[in-house]
Amino acid sequence: MYASIVFLPLFGALIAGWLSLSNRDRAAELVTVSFLLLSLLFSIVAFAQVGIGGQPITVDLARWIVSGDFEAMWRLRFDTLTVVMLIVVTGVSSMVHLYSVGYMSHDKSRARFMAYLSLFTFAMLMLVTADNLVQLFFGWEGVGVASYLLIGFWFKKDSAHTAAMKAFVVNRVGDFGFALGILAVYQVFGSIQFDEIFANAAAMKDAEIMFLGSTLPALEVAGILLFIGAMGKSAQLGLHTWLPDAMEGPTPVSALIHAATMVTAGVFMVCRLSPMFEFSETALMVVTVVGASTAFFAATVGLTQNDIKRVIAYSTCSQLGYMFFAAGVSAYGAAMFHLFTHAFFKALLFLGSGSVIHAMSDEQDMRKMGGIWKMVPYTYAFMWIGSLALAGIGIPGIFGFAGHYSKDIILEATWAANSGVGYYAFWLGLAGAFMTAFYSWRLLFMTFHGETRADEKVFAHVHESPWIMIGPLFVLAIGAVIAGAIGYYGFVGGGYAEFWGDSLKVLPAHTAPFEAVNVPLWVKLAPLVMAVGGIWLAYRMYIQNPGMADRWRAFHEELYQFSLNKWYFDELFDRIFVRPAFWFGRLFWKKGDGAIIDGFGPDGIAAVSRRVASRMSWLQSGYVYHYAFAMLIGVVALITWYMAVGAAG
């Protein structure tokens, strides 16, 4: 059963790929959806046995790599951390598969699309069930390849294949750091097996390693290098630029990749390696600072975006920052808790936005929407639920939506950390909570309320999505409402130790996760106050006083453009990296390859041969007396040479 959780999506992908050759789209949809639902059912059973029953399981598949003293087993690891991710991955993926049946109904390559979705799911399941770093890297690269295929699914669009290439290249930058981190771990521990690494982490806390010509703390170097990989995969500040462009893929892709699976791989990896990161104080500080900075940065950009999917994409980037700075203060349970709840409400928001786009005849610009809430009542209600969960609306100690429990405990843990980086994360996270609520309701008000700004023909055809699309939204909405209340006790509450067992490790010196409950009351209430403030401001600017937004924009034009243009990161990277890369490419192409290699190599030899041949061709006149004269000259030359040699001898 446990192995089938991982391999059922792979079989579905292979079958769907074969069916795509004969354009049997309906059969491909049936196979992939059935296999994913079956994988979800087995994942629920595994969660009950391992997560609730406390019975970790490993499944040996094969000896994978053997080279000298190096050996890597292909082994599936099922502990609490794994089974939580299984619920997230198979749950969201199965809903996305179902949703895609309706959303992609008019596409001519549905079988290929479903094959890509299932392939991506398999790669992600390989990642979360990995028992060693090499196996994890296999899944890590697998989701990268699958995301490239999915983002560039509509490959005839220039923007789609450009976005796919951008995602692939940016992630390779992070993956290079990740690969170096794996090599560093192997050099220090002599193994890539998790159990051996975790067992020896304490003994290696003072170990050193040569890196870039300097002797540095080994675990700090390995931790930072591994985190660079996480920065790429989870779109953290500096390696985030691929995420918004990835919206060029179909909306179900956005929900699958950017809500619950690929982008959370980095968070999962840091939590998986918590026994090593706990002895890497500098690495944890880097994780905290980068995560907090990302949460703030992405929230500021989300304020001004007009594409409905890009707003949610930057929201994802911001929420991933929360997860990372939670892990940075050793609150790994809180990070995984937010990962868990975020999967439900963010997938809900992405699929809800897809329902809006479907209703609006593929329009994504919120400036061309408005006044449609009565026409799409189910979508409207689900978007409200997703926004309430994202904003973390709830009353402490009573009840709240899913994000209320997970986001609040993260902020409380950063305050309880009682450190400079902890306070840095707290205040930026609090500012992010205000902006999150603002741009969430800005999206709701611009999309659904007010006078319509849509084209008359588009507005006349606005309609609710079919039930095959609404059904998954309903399931995800349930999770967005109750997942926080249900999971609180085990993930971060009194059942923490029993639930997580040995899958997460926190040193006694790192008290933030356990002191979070003892923070002052104002710390507990601050996120709610900021969220309500953000909602109120959005209501004032877009409902009560619609012209207010334009006046603010005119008054703060430079700040508006700074946010709208995403802090000019793309332009900066274009000048620093892209243009020089193209310049060097052309230089090596024209001067190196063309002028030097080809000039002195095959092209040069060919040119010399042609010149020699052309010079020699005049000898081939066709007259016998010319040839006789040439022969006579040759004979004279030979006799002369012979006589000269003989005289010298």
Side-chain angles (χ1 to χ4, degrees):
M1 182 194 76
Y2 286 91
S4 63
I5 296 173
V6 178
F7 289 102
L8 277 171
L10 176 62
F11 295 150
L14 294 173
I15 295 171
W18 176 69
L19 292 172
S20 69
L21 300 177
S22 55
N23 296 318
R24 298 170 65 183
D25 296 328
R26 184 62 66 188
E29 291 170 343
L30 180 62
V31 169
T32 52
V33 170
S34 300
F35 281 16
L36 255 296
L37 290 174
L38 194 58
S39 183
L40 172 60
L41 177 62
F42 291 158
S43 296
I44 295 171
V45 175
F47 184 85
Q49 292 179 348
V50 178
I52 300 175
Q55 302 175 7
I57 295 172
T58 58
V59 179
D60 288 337
L61 298 178
R63 296 177 69 191
W64 191 16
I65 302 174
V66 180
S67 178
D69 296 332
F70 178 82
E71 181 176 334
M73 290 291 296
W74 193 2
R75 178 183 295 129
L76 304 181
R77 183 188 187 97
F78 295 90
D79 58 7
T80 303
L81 191 61
T82 299
V83 296
V84 168
M85 291 301 297
L86 291 182
I87 294 294
V88 170
V89 174
T90 59
V92 173
S93 184
S94 58
M95 295 300 104
V96 168
H97 275 71
L98 273 172
Y99 182 92
S100 299
V101 174
Y103 189 87
M104 303 293 290
S105 59
H106 300 295
D107 198 280
K108 297 180 180 180
S109 302
R110 302 199 307 275
R112 178 168 61 91
F113 182 75
M114 302 303 284
Y116 289 170
L117 286 181
S118 291
L119 178 64
F120 178 93
T121 306
F122 162 72
M124 192 66 198
L125 291 172
M126 281 294 300
L127 190 157
V128 301
T129 57
D131 192 55
N132 59 70
L133 284 169
V134 173
Q135 190 178 331
L136 190 149
F137 190 72
F138 173 77
W140 194 272
E141 293 301 303
V143 296
V145 172
S147 69
Y148 171 82
L149 296 173
L150 286 167
I151 295 169
F153 178 75
W154 289 320
F155 55 86
K156 293 183 179 180
K157 292 171 58 182
D158 289 341
S159 57
H161 62 69
T162 301
M165 184 60 69
K166 184 178 182 179
F168 197 78
V169 171
V170 173
N171 273 275
R172 296 294 74 72
V173 175
D175 293 349
F176 179 68
F178 190 62
L180 290 178
I182 294 174
L183 294 175
V185 170
Y186 181 71
Q187 183 174 344
V188 174
F189 294 95
S191 174
I192 45 84
Q193 295 292 141
F194 288 147
D195 288 338
E196 295 183 30
I197 296 170
F198 300 161
N200 297 301
M204 295 295 178
K205 65 179 180 179
D206 297 322
E208 294 183 330
I209 190 173
M210 286 292 296
F211 185 72
L212 299 178
S214 302
T215 303
L216 300 169
L219 296 189
E220 304 289 4
V221 171
I224 292 174
L225 288 173
L226 291 168
F227 178 63
I228 291 173
M231 288 176 62
K233 204 63 80 192
S234 297
Q236 294 300 282
L237 190 63
L239 296 178
H240 68 280
T241 54
W242 67 271
L243 186 66
D245 289 5
M247 297 300 106
E248 291 294 334
T251 300
V253 174
S254 304
L256 185 62
I257 294 178
H258 309 130
T261 51
M262 176 176 155
V263 293
T264 61
V267 179
F268 167 80
M269 184 269 292
V270 172
C271 293
R272 169 62 78 199
L273 296 175
S274 60
M276 191 186 81
F277 273 91
E278 281 296 280
F279 297 98
S280 314
E281 292 291 340
T282 303
L284 287 177
M285 290 176 62
V286 171
V287 173
T288 306
V289 171
V290 172
S293 302
T294 304
F296 180 81
F297 153 76
T300 63
V301 176
L303 297 173
T304 57
Q305 301 305 302
N306 297 307
D307 186 303
I308 187 171
K309 289 172 63 177
R310 286 181 179 263
V311 175
I312 305 172
Y314 277 106
S315 170
T316 299
C317 189
S318 181
Q319 298 306 305
L320 289 166
Y322 281 87
M323 300 174 203
F324 274 114
F325 70 69
V329 297
S330 298
Y332 305 104
M336 290 302 301
F337 189 27
H338 198 49
L339 187 157
F340 180 75
T341 61
H342 177 264
F344 291 103
F345 61 74
K346 188 53 60 71
L348 175 63
L349 287 170
F350 267 119
L351 296 185
S353 70
S355 184
V356 171
I357 295 168
H358 179 80
M360 296 291 298
S361 303
D362 297 326
E363 180 60 67
Q364 295 183 199
D365 193 334
M366 297 187 299
R367 294 170 297 182
K368 299 178 181 179
M369 299 181 184
I372 66 170
W373 72 273
K374 292 183 179 178
M375 303 174 182
V376 287
Y378 295 109
T379 300
Y380 176 63
F382 291 137
M383 291 294 286
W384 261 88
I385 293 172
S387 298
L388 288 167
L390 172 62
I393 300 300
I395 301 174
I398 299 178
F399 180 77
F401 290 83
H404 163 73
Y405 294 92
S406 56
K407 183 188 289 186
D408 283 22
I409 195 64
I410 288 175
L411 293 173
E412 291 161 14
T414 55
W415 181 269
N418 196 28
S419 64
V421 293
Y423 292 135
Y424 175 80
F426 174 80
W427 289 111
L428 289 189
L430 204 59
F434 174 83
M435 290 184 283
T436 298
F438 176 83
Y439 64 64
S440 295
W441 264 260
R442 174 178 177 265
L443 184 152
L444 284 172
F445 294 146
M446 289 184 68
T447 302
F448 296 101
H449 290 275
E451 296 293 329
T452 186
R453 300 171 299 279
D455 181 84
E456 290 184 5
K457 293 182 179 179
V458 172
F459 188 73
H461 290 88
V462 174
H463 59 283
E464 186 62 271
S465 299
W467 283 105
I468 194 67
M469 295 171 61
I470 295 297
L473 295 180
F474 179 76
V475 175
L476 293 169
I478 294 174
V481 174
I482 67 173
I486 293 176
Y488 184 88
Y489 178 80
F491 278 86
V492 295
Y496 177 95
E498 182 181 358
F499 179 71
W500 290 112
D502 295 330
S503 61
L504 297 178
K505 182 178 179 62
V506 181
L507 294 179
H510 297 159
T511 60
F514 312 108
E515 293 296 326
V517 295
N518 299 321
V519 298
L521 180 61
W522 73 267
V523 174
K524 295 179 178 291
L525 293 175
L528 176 62
V529 173
M530 299 301 283
V532 172
I535 295 171
W536 174 82
L537 182 60
Y539 176 78
R540 283 274 299 163
M541 293 180 67
Y542 293 95
I543 298 297
Q544 196 174 46
N545 191 355
M548 187 176 177
D550 293 331
R551 291 195 298 272
W552 275 41
R553 172 184 173 177
F555 189 71
H556 302 286
E557 183 64 27
E558 292 184 357
L559 282 176
Y560 176 82
Q561 291 297 330
F562 189 66
S563 170
L564 183 66
N565 290 284
K566 301 156 288 190
W567 291 27
Y568 297 102
F569 267 101
D570 282 300
E571 290 79 2
L572 180 65
F573 288 171
D574 183 67
R575 287 184 176 273
I576 296 176
F577 299 113
V578 179
R579 292 185 186 181
F582 273 101
W583 185 84
F584 277 111
R586 292 190 188 95
L587 177 67
F588 289 128
W589 172 32
K590 294 293 187 182
K591 302 296 184 183
D593 187 56
I596 298 175
I597 297 175
D598 287 344
F600 289 96
D603 290 348
I605 294 172
V608 171
S609 299
R610 285 195 300 270
R611 285 196 295 270
V612 171
S614 65
R615 296 292 186 273
M616 296 295 292
S617 64
W618 66 271
L619 295 173
Q620 307 298 320
S621 64
Y623 295 106
V624 174
Y625 62 86
H626 284 170
Y627 302 148
F629 182 70
M631 186 176 66
L632 180 62
I633 292 174
V635 170
V636 171
L638 285 172
I639 293 172
T640 303
W641 177 80
Y642 179 77
M643 292 177 65
V645 173

